[in-house]
Amino acid sequence: METLVQSLVSGILTGSLYAMIGVGLTIIFGVMRIINMAHGDMVMLGMYSSFWALTLWNIDPFVSIVFWVPVAFLIGMLTYRFLLKKIVPAGELNTLLYTAGLSLFVSNLALLVWTGDYRTIKLDYAVMPLRPFGIAVPIPLAIAFGMAILITALLYWFLVKTDTGRAIRATSQEPMAAALMGVNAAQMEMLTFGLGTALACGAGVLLAPSLYLYPTVGEILVAKCFVIVVLGGLGSVQGAIAGGLLLGVVESLGAVYVSVPYKDAIGFVIFLLVLLFRPSGLFGVGKS
Amino acid sequence: MKKTVLIIIGLIVLGIAPLVVRSPFFVHLMIMVLMWTVLGASWNILGGYAGQVSFGHATFLGAGAYTTMILYLSCGVDPWYGIFIGGIVAVLISLPIGFICFRLRGPYFSLSTLAVAEIVRLVALNWESLTAGPVGLLITTLPQVSFFGKAINWESKVPFYYIIAIITLIALIITYIVSRTRVGAYLLALREDIDSAESIGINTVKARVVALALSAFLAGIAGGFYAMYLRYVDPDAVFSIGLSVEMLFIAVVGGLATVGGPLIGAIVLVTLGESFREHFLSGHLIFYGFFMMLAIRYMPDGVWGRINTLFKKLRLKKDVNHGTA
Amino acid sequence: MALLDVEGLTKCFGGLKAVSNLSFQVNEGEILGLIGPNGAGKTTVFSLITGFVPPNEGKVLLEGKDIVGLKPYSIAHKGVARTFQIVKPFRKLTVLENVSLAAFLRHSARKEAEAEARRVLERVELIDKAASYASDLTLSEQKRLEIARALATNPKVLLLDEPMGGLNPTEIDHASILVRDICKSGVTIVWVEHVLKAIMNSCHRVIVIHHGEKIADMPPEQIVINPVVIEAYLGKKANSYKKGEPIC
Ligand SMILES: Nc1ncnc2c1ncn2[C@@H]1O[C@H](COP(=O)(O)OP(=O)(O)OP(=O)(O)O)[C@@H](O)[C@H]1O
Ligand SMILES: [Mg+2]
């Protein structure tokens, strides 16, 4: 019983960060119809930003996130404007290949400047986990969880309550109608790519104290991201949140009840099953 | 006519290159270029001709590599047969994968191949009784073979060079035959529009399976060679996403659905990558990413396609000049 | 025996009955018109006959043999060819390659297939464009390419889905002549079209479907004065419509 609760809790904690990354990928897909293979590398860049802010300037990750997220937002918009804008009209497959190229470029640049060494972030206050009700909760993960919820909720509020957010959702659901109503599609795409990148990068900053950092960590993260987004239905924000939490829980339950080595495979198997039998996602809200 | 001359010159260069340039790095580089040509050609048959963009071709490379290795280590099967059997095993593995992934189209097919390849890698990592898991398999000696009464020295890279040169020729000839016959035409139809292809009597399921099997066979053979050349395999060395992506990039950058594309792609990318690796510890794939972005943006037909159009333009100009003269 | 015999064909998409208990026959050598308002189920009928969509019920007999359940490619082998309402050319291949691919169905050698393709391109007057990429053609040319490709499979029955949609009057007259010419060469034709004038001038017989059901099956002269047909096309207003006047 205790192991069950323990793995549920750690699954939900990790899942909240997965969800944050997944939401970033899914809004980009929703608005632009592109599968961004470089999304995982944005997370990786976030992790390294977090690491360097701590190492060089001694700024705690949970403080440095306050400026890394806006920086990532800007970088995302610039990436869209100067690298992606001309490619997106060339179709899904071309953008898939292009972003795969971008991903390889970014991760190898990181390898070049930061080498392939594994790094970790050590925080003084993170040595001992909290133990409420006898369940171990690592402190950095708990803080990251709180911040991930806060950021995701902010984004949700932005999408639902503000005019710009509504325009983004409109572009995602009815591109033609949105264009007719005078929504500037290119602007929405730039904004969305910025937001998606900021979410990925922010999640990276938050994850850094809990994971190993290495330049190709994005490869695994982006694969997980696809699982999440397909689970929730491509293009659906709620779906991605649910999918992220679900994957977190499935992985941590799988590690306990199936086997540690195969825990990553479970996600992919579910992914294939969903793609084949429920292409609009488990909750049937996405676009197939 | 001119083409034949060019091909003959190419063959001669291929034949004497390692005898002329004796630097081990150079021979190693050429071996890598040729091996990646085979892998690029393999990917090109499925992704270029048939238009099914796979992100999981490392599966077939790995299947070939492990088959050859395991057969040699535990049954004493000569690598020459082993490499061939490795190709066959890759084909066998490709069939269930095709059964699953071909239900999906476009980017969804690509993502599904990625997922399958990751599952296969994890299985290889954990099925320790067969693959020895993350430790990998290592061979110390290769079998004694004599060639015209002279024992082959496996410590030199030159014999490997000739073996992979022959495999490369076979791969290019297969691609050529595919491109010139009904099969290749069917694959192109498949790439363009599946419904239309069916409506004119093409069995698109069969065509895709044929493309996949052919593609897997070539990748499996290259995998077997890779294992023997490195004398070592482990799951991350032969099953990683990175390898799948490299094959894809070589084929796309070289020129999709062309016979010479993978060769050009491999020459450009592998040479840059390996030379880079000589000087820096890591990050040699940086050019792959860079060239991919360039190719998609400026040369959708790849380097080879670009060269072809340039030549055509030149020829046209010449003809025009002749006309006015 | 009819060449093509459709019996009790039914297809539901979710709750929508796109085709409902539809039966009709196609006789050898005729041009059969198939008309009906938008969404009547015409394209679905073609997809059912050619195996792209499986029917819920019913049979399709080609020369007496049921072809329901066969894959589209094997139905093409048996001699039923179709065109697509929304043209689907092989865009990055040339016109000649497009048509040669179809000719491969009956000719395995590349040379023969190409020769056949050229003959077909002559017939549809696309031979000048043989070397152009399909994506560079005008809509009218793409529609003719669509016909050429179907024709190159040397079919017994040719199903044409709105070959004139989007064409101008001159092009329409041109296309009508082509369709009649194809029929004269011994190919039986089923023809879906919204340009009723063309149908009326060329068809031997016309079937009207509405909400997936057959509401008329008669020679073209009678169709235009049939009250049920007029009502289907013009809705309730048909009551106020002067009887006996042609609808087009
Ligand atoms: N694959 C499908 N899934 C769901 N509904 C479909 C599908 N194909 C067709 N329909 C529906 O079935 C009905 C008949 O469609 P169909 O395309 O056969 O009409 P049509 O007579 O060809 O119309 P048009 O003259 O506009 O071409 C329509 O209501 C259409 O929306
Ligand atoms: Mg229709």
Side-chain angles (χ1 to χ4, degrees), chain A residues 35-219:
Chain A
I35 295 174
N36 180 17
M37 297 289 281
H39 200 66
D41 301 281
M42 304 300 171
V43 183
M44 179 273 293
L45 288 180
M47 291 170 80
Y48 273 93
S49 309
S50 173
F51 176 84
W52 290 117
L54 183 70
T55 323
L56 297 179
W57 309 318
N58 209 8
I59 304 177
D60 189 277
F62 302 113
V63 177
S64 71
I65 186 165
V66 176
F67 58 85
W68 284 133
V69 164
V71 168
F73 177 68
L74 269 180
I75 291 178
M77 294 217 289
L78 292 176
T79 308
Y80 172 80
R81 177 64 191 75
F82 291 105
L83 294 177
L84 273 165
K85 195 175 176 191
K86 292 262 166 57
I87 309 295
V88 174
E92 282 183 337
L93 264 177
N94 272 334
T95 9
L96 185 75
L97 294 176
Y98 187 83
T99 53
L102 181 64
S103 159
L104 212 54
F105 184 77
V106 171
S107 62
N108 277 272
L109 196 62
L111 268 171
L112 189 62
V113 291
W114 297 323
T115 73
D117 296 346
Y118 281 50
R119 295 167 201 257
T120 48
I121 287 186
K122 289 208 178 61
L123 300 169
D124 303 332
Y125 53 85
V127 187
M128 291 297 288
L130 293 175
R131 293 201 166 273
F133 312 108
I135 298 160
V137 179
I139 293 171
L141 205 52
I143 304 176
F145 172 74
M147 291 195 153
I149 290 184
L150 186 70
I151 294 173
T152 315
L154 267 177
L155 178 92
Y156 199 75
W157 171 84
F158 168 76
L159 286 178
V160 176
K161 292 287 174 192
T162 64
D163 285 346
T164 323
R166 283 199 206 106
I168 288 180
R169 284 194 305 146
T171 319
S172 163
Q173 282 151 10
E174 294 284 343
M176 295 291 240
L180 285 177
M181 279 158 23
V183 175
N184 181 340
Q187 225 168 38
M188 288 309 128
E189 291 187 353
M190 187 154 96
L191 202 59
T192 312
F193 203 81
L195 281 175
T197 309
L199 281 171
C201 220
V205 175
L206 296 177
L207 268 174
S210 314
L211 285 185
Y212 285 111
L213 285 71
Y214 53 95
T216 48
V217 66
E219 237 175 59

Side-chain angles (χ1 to χ4, degrees), chain C residues 25-80:
Chain C
Q25 298 192 326
V26 186
N27 302 313
E28 187 149 8
E30 76 175 338
I31 303 181
L32 174 66
L34 184 59
I35 64 173
N38 284 108
K42 304 176 297 284
T43 301
T44 309
V45 171
F46 278 9
S47 298
L48 290 169
I49 294 176
T50 48
F52 279 91
V53 172
N56 297 96
E57 269 171 60
K59 284 188 202 161
V60 178
L61 305 175
L62 178 70
E63 294 174 316
K65 276 188 229 116
D66 198 356
I67 55 171
V68 166
L70 296 183
K71 290 270 183 298
Y73 75 89
S74 72
I75 292 175
H77 274 270
K78 294 207 179 313
V80 183

Side-chain angles (χ1 to χ4, degrees), chain C residues 42-43 85 161-162:
Chain C
K42 304 176 297 284
T43 301
Q85 178 176 358
D161 200 348
E162 297 200 24

Side-chain angles (χ1 to χ4, degrees), chain B residues 179-182 185-186 188-205 312, chain C residues 52 71-73 76-77 80 82 84 88-93 98 101-102 104-105 107-108 110 149 153:
Chain B
S179 75
R180 287 295 137 146
T181 52
R182 194 151 70 147
Y186 281 4
L188 288 178
L190 199 68
R191 177 189 80 186
E192 294 294 312
D193 195 306
I194 292 189
D195 285 342
S196 282
E198 281 275 334
S199 82
I200 56 171
I202 298 172
N203 182 346
T204 55
V205 175
K312 256 183 213 160
Chain C
F52 279 91
K71 290 270 183 298
Y73 75 89
H77 274 270
V80 183
R82 75 172 290 184
F84 292 95
K88 291 170 182 272
F90 303 127
R91 307 188 72 87
K92 283 196 203 153
L93 303 185
N98 264 270
L101 262 167
F104 271 135
L105 186 63
H107 308 270
S108 50
R110 201 183 185 93
R149 212 171 47 187
T153 63

Side-chain angles (χ1 to χ4, degrees), chain C residues 19-189:
Chain C
V19 175
S20 146
N21 196 21
L22 183 75
S23 303
F24 65 89
Q25 298 192 326
V26 186
N27 302 313
E28 187 149 8
E30 76 175 338
I31 303 181
L32 174 66
L34 184 59
I35 64 173
N38 284 108
K42 304 176 297 284
T43 301
T44 309
V45 171
F46 278 9
S47 298
L48 290 169
I49 294 176
T50 48
F52 279 91
V53 172
N56 297 96
E57 269 171 60
K59 284 188 202 161
V60 178
L61 305 175
L62 178 70
E63 294 174 316
K65 276 188 229 116
D66 198 356
I67 55 171
V68 166
L70 296 183
K71 290 270 183 298
Y73 75 89
S74 72
I75 292 175
H77 274 270
K78 294 207 179 313
V80 183
R82 75 172 290 184
T83 67
F84 292 95
Q85 178 176 358
I86 299 161
V87 289
K88 291 170 182 272
F90 303 127
R91 307 188 72 87
K92 283 196 203 153
L93 303 185
T94 65
V95 169
L96 184 65
E97 284 167 335
N98 264 270
V99 183
S100 306
L101 262 167
F104 271 135
L105 186 63
R106 310 285 176 208
H107 308 270
S108 50
R110 201 183 185 93
K111 269 207 179 119
E112 283 172 43
E114 264 183 35
E116 171 69 17
R118 282 184 190 283
R119 275 196 292 278
V120 174
L121 285 175
E122 296 271 6
R123 274 178 77 185
V124 302
E125 295 174 26
L126 265 183
I127 193 75
D128 297 342
K129 299 274 178 180
S132 313
Y133 284 105
S135 54
D136 295 340
L137 299 184
T138 64
L139 179 66
S140 152
E141 289 164 341
Q142 288 190 346
K143 292 255 173 189
R144 266 183 287 156
L145 175 60
E146 195 80 10
I147 298 177
R149 212 171 47 187
L151 212 50
T153 63
N154 193 12
K156 291 177 188 138
V157 189
L158 178 58
L159 311 179
L160 299 173
D161 200 348
E162 297 200 24
M164 293 172 188
L167 305 195
N168 68 35
T170 335
E171 290 167 340
I172 286 177
D173 287 342
H174 219 74
S176 292
I177 297 172
L178 175 64
V179 172
R180 285 199 291 263
D181 171 65
I182 293 171
C183 175
K184 275 201 203 100
S185 72
V187 181
T188 306
I189 293 173

